[in-house]
Amino acid sequence: DTVSEVQDIARSMIEPAPKFGTGLNTSYILGMGKVKHGESESVLILLDIDKVMSQEELGAISQSRQDTPTPESVKPDSLAA
């Protein structure tokens, strides 16, 4: 995954995470951020990445990205079966 956009959101534009009852775990949602784009407004779900994924999972993703060859590092003759 890559970051496609970073936005600053004023604290005044962040609302608490909604309560969906007891059947849904929302502990990983930090809040709901409102962002204006000209005349329109978008609502962004702000996630607590440490609660969405464990440190072990984040480490495994980081390690797998380091172990995966990039297209530039693969030589054409190494693709032959």
Side-chain angles (χ1 to χ4, degrees):
D1 292 329
T2 62
V3 175
S4 60
E5 185 176 353
V6 175
Q7 292 196 333
D8 289 321
I9 303 174
R11 286 200 182 271
S12 62
M13 299 303 288
I14 299 175
E15 297 180 1
K19 303 290 184 226
F20 292 108
T22 60
L24 186 61
N25 178 9
T26 59
S27 65
Y28 56 89
I29 300 176
L30 290 173
M32 308 296 281
K34 293 183 179 180
V35 180
K36 292 193 177 196
H37 300 281
E39 297 284 323
S40 65
E41 185 174 89
S42 297
V43 176
L44 305 175
I45 300 172
L46 308 175
L47 302 177
D48 183 341
I49 192 65
D50 290 327
K51 291 184 180 176
V52 172
M53 301 183 83
S54 69
Q55 289 299 320
E56 292 80 20
E57 290 169 320
L58 291 170
I61 290 171
S62 176
Q63 184 63 44
S64 70
R65 296 190 96 195
Q66 292 173 6
D67 294 342
T68 303
T70 61
E72 298 82 28
S73 68
V74 177
K75 295 180 176 61
D77 58 337
S78 68
L79 297 175

